[in-house]
Amino acid sequence: MSKILIIAEHDGKKLSPASARCVTCAAQIAGGEITLAVFAADPGPIAQQAARLTGVAQVITITDARHAQSLAAVLAPQVVQLAASYTHIFGASTTFGKDLMPRVAALLGVPQISDAMSVESPTRFKRPIYAGNAIITVEVAANRKVVATVRTASFEAALDGGAATISAVSADAPAPTHTRYVSLSAAASDRPDLQSAPRVVSGGRALASKENFQLIYSLADKLNAAVGASRAAVDAGYASNELQVGQTGKIIAPELYVAVGISGAIQHLTGIKDARTIVAINKDAEAPIFEVADFGLVGDLFQILPALEAALG
Amino acid sequence: MQKIIVGIKRVVDYNVRVRVKPDGSGVALDGVKMSVNPFDEIALEEALRIKERGEATEIIAVSIGPDDAQQQLRTALAMGADRAILVKTDQAIEPLTAAHALLAIIKTEQPDLVIVGKQAIDDDAAQTGPMLAALWGRPQATFCSKLTINGTVATIVREVDAGLETIEVDLPAVISADLRLNEPRYVKLPDIMKAKKKQLDVTDLATLGVSIDDGLKTVHTEAPKARAKGILVKDVAELVDALKKKGLVS
Ligand SMILES: Cc1cc2nc3c(=O)[nH]c(=O)nc-3n(C[C@H](O)[C@H](O)[C@H](O)COP(=O)(O)OP(=O)(O)OC[C@H]3O[C@@H](n4cnc5c(N)ncnc54)[C@H](O)[C@@H]3O)c2cc1C
């Protein structure tokens, strides 16, 4: 039987929606039993959220002041200590998971599957390569642990409705002091979160300034949407780095994605392929974004956006 | 600081849209333009800047790949790396094997810093940096967008999902470069000429005592599902109508 350990992701207070998506992926492993591990200084509230997720059999908490911040160098040896009783170890392919899981895999001496997008069998998974321009099926050798990051955009979040048991365990592997947390500068925002929002409005280089980028925020507010950006817009300083969508930014799957003044380079498209409906606004009718857009509108964004906002009432 | 090792991977150029072979055996690579992985160029650029600030004395570019990867190592030498090492292998290898190969090089070269790209744009795995750090028992600083070195300590700003995280690590350490760490320089013709005379050693996995881990096998390659072709709307009113019909706006 498969026993799957998911490393929960959180900000110290709340469980990340990415973890709920990992649960859905893990639940597709036939006959699997899912355990969520919460490493935190105060895991209580996070563990309670985790325990409510449908499909989770148990939640284990590892309370340790060292886990007030998530440092891969500190966490990896603890995960390895717990790993013995599991066949699969999963994390989300967020920056947290991409940092931690390869370190865990290497310590365990096994390869890792990055961005698992579908479960074919307990040892067989599909994953994208070349910015999603090809999909490979990979098979883990028999008797090796399966370590994977889960491509969150490929799985819906598991819903509440479960009642898993919560128990405290200890993981006390020596942790190095060679890596130290200093600070996090996060833009405080009460807008919907880019990675989980049902609607996203993104702006590209065409916005031409940080001031103009407010047009994107304004439309997003009207639609109750999260804000995203192309790499060009982030590089130019119109939007902050955590808003970048694409191969090397966030991979998202909203119900509605509105791309404004974005050309549609393959590196950008790979981040939005799974969006249910894509709207593109671009003055160049030949822009590649129109090849993937469900609804395209050719024209000048500086005229279209005010009109669109007005039409939305 | 003395030495910096930089990982250089030969990959399909980022402008190429790869095609999957009809028989599902892989992607078609014949005649396709190959380049240095863009993130590795950024890694190398950072190493060059550290050296130019007088904070390092030697930069070694290391590639694990086919014989043709010598081309990419020559590009790295032309950019300014002092010497290069190719670990030759004709077999596709997983990042775990690449990390073991880099570790073997590290054992002889004893660098103070290793900089790699945060991911290679062919397999998009993003594993080699953190795996190497784990095997080496040293710190990792992934997704680095700013690097400052102060004696034996490095301060790194990391691009994380929540924003920008700052961490501090003791050297030696492994850094993985993100897009906004720097903008790599262009190679000038005289530098290409000079690079031809620089030292490029070729070794292989067996010589380094590294066996290929075959714990993960690619069994099939397919093209992604295409999105259904959409429509062009003529104006804002038509767009809003279409979105209303789909229940996406009220
Ligand atoms: C290794 C690597 C990784 C990358 N990762 C990413 C990634 O994760 N995400 C990402 O987005 N990119 C990524 N890129 C960059 C990508 O290749 C493109 O350069 C980038 O997406 C372009 O951004 P853009 O569409 O905003 O700008 P441009 O390509 O310059 O497009 C601007 C568009 O705006 C339109 N326009 C101009 N003015 C107006 C107007 N007034 N009204 C309407 N339309 C207008 C133009 O017609 C054009 O189509 C990566 C590149 C590399 C090499």
Side-chain angles (χ1 to χ4, degrees):
Chain A
M1 192 185 79
S2 303
K3 291 192 70 184
I4 306 141
L5 180 68
I6 297 175
I7 313 305
E9 180 166 349
H10 59 82
D11 61 3
K13 298 180 205 79
K14 270 174 43 202
L15 183 71
S16 160
S19 296
R21 291 173 184 256
C22 279
V23 169
T24 302
C25 173
Q28 290 175 10
I29 294 174
E33 184 190 281
I34 302 172
T35 302
L36 239 86
V38 182
F39 291 86
D42 173 22
I46 306 158
Q48 280 167 20
Q49 294 164 50
R52 284 197 293 270
L53 294 176
T54 309
V56 177
Q58 47 190 336
V59 176
I60 54 176
T61 58
I62 303 91
T63 309
D64 193 324
R66 292 177 306 178
H67 302 322
Q69 289 93 29
S70 308
L71 287 171
V74 173
L75 279 172
Q78 320 306 324
V79 174
V80 168
Q81 204 178 59
L82 299 178
S85 36
Y86 297 92
T87 55
H88 295 64
I89 302 163
F90 284 3
S93 68
T94 52
T95 51
F96 167 74
K98 287 184 194 166
D99 190 41
L100 173 64
M101 301 310 283
R103 191 156 182 123
V104 169
L107 291 178
L108 290 169
V110 297
Q112 182 198 276
I113 300 163
S114 293
D115 307 313
M117 59 187 283
S118 85
V119 178
E120 306 296 305
S121 86
T123 53
R124 213 172 245 238
F125 301 84
K126 286 191 182 181
R127 66 170 300 259
I129 56 171
Y130 289 101
N133 283 304
I135 309 295
I136 55 174
T137 305
V138 292
E139 169 87 36
V140 182
N143 304 320
R144 305 236 10 218
K145 274 194 208 304
V146 181
V147 178
T149 59
V150 172
R151 184 178 184 275
T152 49
S154 300
F155 301 92
E156 303 280 344
L159 299 175
D160 279 0
T165 58
I166 302 177
S167 51
V169 304
S170 77
D172 52 5
T177 52
H178 56 44
T179 307
R180 298 171 293 274
Y181 173 87
V182 178
S183 62
L184 174 69
S185 111
S189 158
D190 39 17
R191 285 168 205 284
D193 166 55
L194 174 57
Q195 224 139 15
S196 50
R199 298 164 187 194
V200 175
V201 181
S202 276
R205 194 198 308 272
L207 271 299
S209 74
K210 199 173 173 170
E211 292 68 48
N212 289 344
F213 208 83
Q214 286 307 320
L215 289 168
I216 300 296
Y217 280 101
S218 176
L219 177 61
D221 285 346
K222 197 117 244 178
L223 290 167
N224 190 24
V227 169
S230 72
R231 172 190 173 184
V234 176
D235 281 1
Y238 311 157
S240 51
N241 66 281
E242 68 273 16
L243 301 187
Q244 182 174 316
V245 171
Q247 181 184 19
T248 54
K250 287 177 178 153
I251 310 271
I252 56 174
E255 297 289 316
L256 174 65
Y257 186 77
V258 185
V260 183
I262 292 178
S263 60
I266 48 174
Q267 293 87 3
H268 188 80
L269 298 185
T270 189
I272 60 170
K273 275 190 184 156
D274 295 308
R276 199 71 56 83
T277 299
I278 297 177
V279 172
I281 298 169
N282 194 304
K283 69 174 184 192
D284 173 11
E286 303 296 318
I289 189 77
F290 289 121
E291 286 165 33
V292 299
D294 298 276
F295 303 114
L297 180 50
V298 179
D300 184 352
L301 74 93
F302 295 105
Q303 280 157 19
I304 292 170
L305 289 192
L308 182 55
E309 261 192 59
L312 289 169
Chain B
M1 180 160 59
Q2 299 294 313
K3 277 185 207 173
I4 304 177
I5 284 185
V6 177
I8 298 288
K9 188 175 186 187
R10 173 184 168 88
V11 299
V12 172
D13 188 82
Y14 81 98
N15 275 313
V16 174
R17 194 177 284 229
V18 299
R19 301 261 170 251
V20 173
K21 291 187 204 162
D23 65 358
S25 65
V27 296
L29 296 178
D30 291 347
V32 164
K33 182 177 178 209
M34 304 297 284
S35 298
V36 174
N37 176 40
F39 290 98
D40 301 347
E41 275 185 338
I42 297 171
L44 176 55
E45 176 65 37
E46 196 62 17
L48 296 172
R49 291 183 189 188
I50 293 169
K51 188 182 162 196
E52 284 161 3
R53 288 200 300 265
E55 293 169 9
T57 49
E58 189 184 26
I59 297 168
I60 309 164
V62 180
S63 189
I64 300 138
D67 203 37
D68 283 342
Q70 289 196 37
Q71 294 162 14
Q72 280 63 42
L73 286 173
R74 288 288 168 206
T75 305
L77 292 169
M79 273 181 76
D82 297 292
R83 60 189 169 94
I85 302 171
L86 171 64
V87 181
K88 219 178 100 173
T89 170
D90 290 323
Q91 220 174 309
I93 54 157
E94 282 290 316
L96 182 61
T97 305
H100 274 292
L102 287 171
L103 183 68
I105 304 268
I106 284 173
K107 287 201 170 131
T108 27
E109 298 291 347
Q110 302 283 328
D112 303 284
L113 190 62
V114 176
I115 315 181
V116 296
K118 79 160 175 179
Q119 73 193 71
I121 59 163
D122 49 3
D123 62 17
D124 284 330
Q127 298 172 13
T128 304
M131 282 187 161
L132 172 62
L135 299 175
W136 193 15
R138 294 305 308 165
Q140 67 190 47
T142 50
F143 325 132
C144 172
S145 70
K146 186 161 187 267
L147 172 60
T148 326
I149 290 162
N150 201 335
T152 56
V153 174
T155 304
I156 298 99
V157 178
R158 307 177 57 228
E159 290 202 3
V160 295
D161 290 336
L164 294 170
E165 183 189 80
T166 306
I167 63 169
E168 205 178 76
V169 302
D170 296 335
L171 300 179
V174 179
I175 311 275
S176 90
D178 213 322
L179 288 175
R180 279 167 284 274
L181 181 56
N182 60 52
E183 223 174 287
R185 66 197 62 190
Y186 284 104
V187 176
K188 295 187 221 73
L189 195 60
D191 296 330
I192 297 175
M193 302 312 289
K194 259 195 274 174
K196 290 191 178 144
K197 297 202 197 76
K198 288 187 180 173
Q199 181 184 345
L200 193 167
D201 297 317
V202 181
T203 180
D204 55 34
L205 292 171
T207 309
L208 294 176
V210 175
S211 51
I212 295 183
D213 186 292
D214 58 358
L216 191 64
K217 283 211 166 84
T218 298
V219 293
H220 184 68
T221 306
E222 66 199 286
K225 280 193 198 77
R227 284 186 75 94
K229 185 117 185 79
I231 56 160
L232 283 182
V233 293
K234 70 172 193 309
D235 55 21
V236 166
E238 203 180 307
L239 176 61
V240 172
D241 250 17
L243 293 177
K244 276 188 179 152
K245 276 202 194 103
K246 281 204 151 191
L248 289 165
V249 302
S250 46

